[in-house]
Amino acid sequence: MFDGVEKVSMKAVILAGGLGTRLGEETSVRPKPMVEIGGKPILWHIMKIYSGHGIKDFVICLGYKGYLIKEYFANYFLHTADVTIDLDRNSMEVHRNWNEGWRITLVETGDETMTGGRLKAVRQYLDEGEPFCFTYGDGLADIDIGALVAFHKDHGRKATVTAVAPPGRFGALEFEGDRIAGFREKPAGDGGLINGGFFVADPSVLDDYVAGPSTIWEREPMERLAVDGELHGYHHKGFWQPMDTLRDKIYLEELWEKGAPWKCW
């Protein structure tokens, strides 16, 4: 836990429906967010980052093999606790229950739905007029969620994206002070700070900027928000690492063994 960080209470949406084709055999049998780091799905690590800062109400956008994510949480005690199963009495007793205290809404958003469409599909599960966090189901960071939310509330615009230094080449954020002046998805040249996920937004952005299932959040919605002056960037200078390839997974496994820089619990 980060010392002195104020806890926040809001919902966090996690985009967990992608294929993750660059992880090869890992994602032939499971969705990418269920690929394990240190014996736990990367999705679990992301949720622990949020809950370490007080956010324990999650909405998870399902797609490819989403039933495996449902199964994992429906049988969470079987995955995490010691149990005694009495077949004669048809009963199960849970021992040493590590209860995370999470509330998890699992929403089928479609196998082919794009990122913006997945967000729009969970609109009904968000609190009207209250900002919500959201991020991708494949990236870890030692981000201070409380400071991120405070930054979002302070600037008063519709959306905030966490800006990070890339380990590779991703979509570039163009800054004017803290305001995002432009967004280019995967530019040809090096783009400096990039979209690192860990967003905060008002639910109204899903009504005003996302057309439907085929909308890619990183394209028209972010581009229009930037043009309208409604997108600001929170600069995160600490650890950030996506899990795009098997090499990334191996690297994160090595970091977990050394203590995991994203661990805030």
Side-chain angles (χ1 to χ4, degrees), residues 13-216:
V13 176
I14 302 176
L15 296 165
L19 291 173
T21 54
R22 286 189 288 174
L23 277 164
E25 291 183 3
E26 285 280 359
T27 51
S28 67
V29 296
R30 73 192 82 186
K32 187 177 182 182
M34 292 302 292
V35 174
E36 294 184 351
I37 303 297
K40 298 283 190 181
I42 192 171
L43 175 61
W44 178 90
H45 290 270
I46 295 167
M47 295 169 73
K48 289 289 282 187
I49 292 170
Y50 279 110
S51 66
H53 293 86
I55 296 177
K56 298 188 176 185
D57 194 346
F58 297 97
V59 179
I60 300 180
C61 302
L62 303 178
Y64 173 69
K65 295 187 183 295
Y67 66 91
L68 292 175
I69 299 178
K70 287 182 176 178
E71 185 277 334
Y72 178 78
F73 288 112
N75 296 298
Y76 191 72
F77 293 147
L78 286 177
H79 291 286
T80 61
D82 299 334
V83 298
T84 297
I85 299 174
D86 190 325
L87 296 179
D88 185 50
R89 297 183 179 182
N90 191 26
S91 65
M92 182 179 76
E93 181 181 358
V94 177
H95 310 284
R96 294 196 299 158
N97 170 16
W98 293 281
N99 189 339
E100 307 288 354
W102 295 341
R103 183 176 186 270
I104 307 165
T105 302
L106 299 151
V107 184
E108 294 286 356
T109 60
D111 284 4
E112 304 298 327
T113 307
M114 297 293 103
T115 49
R118 293 192 192 283
L119 291 170
K120 196 175 185 73
V122 303
R123 175 68 171 88
Q124 63 181 306
Y125 300 104
L126 303 177
D127 297 324
E128 192 66 42
E130 293 293 329
F132 68 101
C133 292
F134 70 95
T135 195
Y136 306 108
D138 62 357
L140 299 173
D142 61 349
I143 185 168
D144 186 335
I145 299 295
L148 167 64
V149 171
F151 172 84
H152 174 80
K153 292 181 176 179
D154 185 60
H155 68 64
R157 298 299 182 178
K158 288 184 178 294
T160 297
V161 56
T162 295
V164 300
R169 198 172 286 160
F170 294 84
L173 304 172
E174 300 170 358
F175 277 87
E176 289 181 1
D178 283 329
R179 187 178 75 83
I180 303 294
F183 180 81
R184 291 174 294 138
E185 178 69 0
K186 298 183 180 178
D190 290 334
L193 296 178
I194 65 161
N195 164 17
F198 294 97
F199 297 86
V200 185
D202 187 274
S204 65
V205 301
L206 305 181
D207 304 323
D208 301 336
Y209 292 89
V210 179
S214 63
T215 302
I216 299 172

Side-chain angles (χ1 to χ4, degrees), residues 221-249:
M222 285 188 70
E223 292 167 358
R224 286 181 53 209
L225 283 163
V227 169
D228 294 346
E230 294 291 344
L231 180 63
H232 280 231
Y234 174 78
H235 294 239
H236 173 63
K237 299 179 181 179
F239 171 82
W240 177 82
Q241 177 65 46
M243 188 182 66
D244 289 323
T245 65
L246 185 58
R247 181 178 180 180
D248 294 333
K249 170 184 159 50

